[in-house]
Amino acid sequence: GQTRSAFAFKINGAAEYQLTPHLFLGGRLTADNSGDFNDAAATVYLRYSFETRKSPVAFPPVTPKPYYSGN
């Protein structure tokens, strides 16, 4: 016979705040877990815009992608 059990969860989160008309502070959090698999990541960033932004930050914010994300 076989016995199988599973547990899975996934959490994502992103936030960005406009500090000045040109400067933004943001962050991203992810977490995955299922049985033997475990993964977590956190990112904090500063974004500078050469053009003045008067509109609010998009929701959800578009977070920068790392150059290399792995497999």
Side-chain angles (χ1 to χ4, degrees):
Q2 290 183 350
T3 302
R4 292 185 185 194
S5 63
F7 177 75
F9 76 88
K10 183 174 188 170
I11 299 172
N12 289 321
E16 190 170 276
Y17 182 75
Q18 187 171 3
L19 299 170
T20 69
H22 296 278
L23 190 62
F24 300 84
L25 174 65
R28 187 176 106 193
L29 172 69
T30 61
D32 298 30
N33 188 359
S34 178
D36 297 328
F37 182 75
N38 189 6
D39 191 16
T43 305
V44 176
Y45 62 89
L46 282 173
R47 181 193 315 251
Y48 184 83
S49 174
F50 291 101
E51 297 177 6
T52 301
R53 300 273 320 240
K54 293 182 182 179
S55 61
V57 175
F59 185 82
V62 179
T63 58
K65 268 187 156 176
Y67 176 72
Y68 175 71
S69 298
N71 292 335

